[in-house]
Each structure stands twice: as C-alpha cells, then as structure tokens.
C-alpha cells in the first residue's frame, strides 16, 4: 500500500497561521498585561509569555509566503493591493488599542501595512523584469526598489520593519524554484528567532488554493485584536 504524501493547501496553511497568530497575540496582549498588573501572579504569567511568543513567531513567515503566492496568482494585483490597504486602515485602531491601549499610536503599525509595502515592492520588481533593460540596469533598479521599500518600512515604523520587506522580496525573487525559495526564505527569517521553523510547514504546501476563505485573514485580524483588547480590559489589565 502506497503512503500518501502529506500536503497542505493554501487555505489550510492560512488557517494554521491564523491559529498561531492568535496564540502569539494572546501572549502579546493578555499575558504581557497581566504580568504588570497588581493582583496577578507574575511568575505564572511570565512562564506562559515566552512559549506563546515563540510559537507565534511561525505565523509571519507563512503569511509572507502566502502573500507571494497570492501576488503571483491574482488576476488583479491592483485590487489585491487596494484590499490590503483598506484592511490596514480598518485594523489600525483595533491594533493600537490591543498593543498600546490608545485609539491612535503612530509608533506602531499593524501587519497589513507591512504586507502592503511588500506588494508594492513585488509590483515594482515585476515591472522591471518585464522591461528589456540591460543586466546592469536591471540589478541597479532591483536593488533600488529593495532599498527604498526597506527604508520606507523603517520610516513608517512597520511591525517587522525592513526585515519583513527583505524576507518578502527574497520569497518573491526565488519563487520559480521551490527548493531555493524554501532555503532562502528560511535564511531570510533568521532575524526572528524560531521563525525559520515555519518552513517545515510550508514545505508541505501542495500549490492548491483549497477552500475559498479569501477574507478569513482580513476579517479575523482586526476582530481578534479588538476582542483581546476587550478581554484585557474586562479582567482588569493595566495599560
């Protein structure tokens, strides 16, 4: 009897990443606040904090990989980008409330902004690829796009800064060779502790879309952040 090779569709990977992200944000919003609030057992909550955050490090690489897949297969990249920006705007207040307790905080930006800049960088790189520039000019333009995008991420105080953009670009540049993409992708995430381990899941990606849950991430992201903020307030956490 031939054993069936395990495989994960895009929708399955997305659901896994959503669960991991929720675990991470429980640590980043609920646990971290209870640690500094009088009346809570600091040692107990502190023992939960790092395990939750380390597990959570696996989510962003998966989302970046799926972003590149979405970009390469979308029929309308402009609509894809517009949708990302729209939900970046929708998510900003829930994100700021959950992270800082303030309605607006310009020192932190939600992950949709990082993904939006990543899309812009891929759009620019795709445009350069389609033009018949000389090899040297191609290289110069590509490096310029990467540098400008990375700098923009730092200036905008994006969640993962220039490192997130560089990782997205790395996954895009090596997209035509899956083995190279996996290896370079894992290396590009070495800045984020255990994040490269996410590629042990991505390696099982089947290349298939799976269930149609296009808006799952878009809706879940602001909704769960707002819910976590409400829970933190209800149980008496201090901001």
């Amino acid at each position: 009897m031939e054993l069936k090779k395990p495989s994960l569709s895009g929708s399955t990977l997305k659901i896994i990443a959503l669960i991991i992200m929720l675990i991470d944000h429980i640590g980043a919003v609920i646990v971290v606040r209870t640690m500094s609030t009088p009346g809570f057992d600091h040692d107990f909550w502190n023992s939960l904090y790092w395990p939750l955050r380390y597990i959570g490090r696996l989510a962003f690489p998966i989302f970046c990989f799926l972003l590149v897949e979405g970009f390469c297969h979308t029929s309308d990249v402009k609509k894809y980008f517009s949708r990302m920006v729209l939900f970046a705007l929708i998510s900003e207040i829930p994100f700021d409330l959950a992270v800082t307790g303030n309605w607006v905080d310009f020192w932190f930006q939600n992950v949709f902004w990082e993904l939006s800049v990543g899309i812009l960088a891929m759009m620019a790189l795709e445009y350069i690829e389609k033009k018949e520039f000389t090899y040297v000019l191609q290289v110069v333009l590509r490096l310029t796009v990467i540098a400008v995008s990375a700098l923009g991420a730092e200036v905008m105080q994006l969640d993962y800064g220039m490192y997130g953009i560089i990782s997205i670009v790395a996954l895009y540049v090596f997209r035509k060779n899956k083995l190279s993409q996996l290896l370079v992708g894992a290396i590009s995430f070495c800045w984020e502790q255990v994040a490269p381990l996410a590629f042990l899941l991505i390696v099982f990606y089947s290349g298939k879309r799976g269930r149609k849950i296009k808006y799952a991430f878009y809706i879940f992201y602001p909704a769960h952040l707002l819910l976590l903020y409400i829970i933190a307030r209800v149980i008496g956490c201090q901001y």
Side-chain angles (χ1 to χ4, degrees):
M1 181 178 178
E2 185 178 352
L3 294 177
K4 186 177 181 181
K5 181 182 177 182
S7 63
L8 300 172
S9 66
S11 61
T12 302
L13 266 180
K14 185 175 293 185
I15 291 171
I16 292 173
L18 289 175
I19 294 171
I20 294 172
M21 180 178 69
L22 176 59
I23 292 171
D24 180 47
H25 290 168
I26 289 173
V29 178
I30 303 294
V31 176
V32 76
R33 296 300 167 187
T34 58
M35 287 165 56
S36 58
T37 301
F40 288 95
D41 186 338
H42 178 273
D43 292 337
F44 170 75
W45 290 101
N46 185 52
S47 68
L48 290 178
Y49 179 74
W50 286 113
L52 295 177
R53 298 310 309 275
Y54 277 128
I55 292 172
R57 300 304 88 195
L58 304 181
F60 186 61
I62 297 175
F63 285 129
C64 289
F65 174 78
L66 293 175
L67 180 80
V68 174
E69 284 293 298
F71 178 85
C72 294
H73 294 98
T74 184
S75 58
D76 191 335
V77 69
K78 292 181 179 178
K79 185 180 292 185
Y80 189 41
F81 172 72
S82 298
R83 184 166 59 244
M84 199 69 70
V85 171
L86 173 61
F87 278 89
L89 292 169
I90 292 172
S91 300
E92 194 58 32
I93 289 179
F95 177 81
D96 289 340
L97 284 172
V99 175
T100 70
N102 300 317
W103 286 87
V104 178
D105 193 313
F106 294 108
W107 290 104
F108 295 93
Q109 314 300 333
N110 71 76
V111 74
F112 277 123
W113 292 114
E114 187 97 35
L115 299 179
S116 297
V117 174
I119 292 175
L120 282 178
M122 290 189 287
M123 289 172 67
L125 290 173
E126 182 182 58
Y127 176 81
I128 294 169
E129 289 174 7
K130 291 180 178 179
K131 293 296 181 179
E132 296 181 356
F133 296 126
T134 62
Y135 175 77
V136 174
L137 185 56
Q138 283 262 355
V139 172
V140 171
L141 290 175
R142 288 175 182 175
L143 291 176
T144 300
V145 167
I146 296 170
V148 170
S149 301
L151 179 61
E154 291 294 314
V155 171
M156 293 170 66
Q157 299 282 351
L158 300 186
D159 205 8
Y160 294 91
M162 65 178 181
Y163 300 107
I165 300 303
I166 292 172
S167 295
I168 291 171
V169 168
L171 289 169
Y172 174 75
V173 170
F174 289 90
R175 68 195 183 280
K176 295 179 180 179
N177 185 309
K178 289 304 177 184
L179 179 59
S180 297
Q181 185 189 42
L182 291 171
L183 292 175
V184 173
I187 293 171
S188 74
F189 277 98
C190 284
W191 52 270
E192 185 67 301
Q193 300 167 333
V194 299
L197 294 178
F199 288 87
L200 295 177
L201 289 172
I202 296 173
V203 73
F204 294 110
Y205 175 58
S206 64
K208 297 179 180 179
R209 178 180 179 181
R211 297 182 180 181
K212 295 182 179 180
I213 55 170
K214 179 193 297 185
Y215 290 97
F217 174 46
Y218 297 106
I219 297 172
F220 182 82
Y221 185 76
H224 92 282
L225 286 173
L226 185 59
L227 178 60
L228 290 177
Y229 170 73
I230 292 172
I231 292 173
R233 285 301 194 186
V234 169
I235 65 177
C237 295
Q238 293 182 353
Y239 273 84

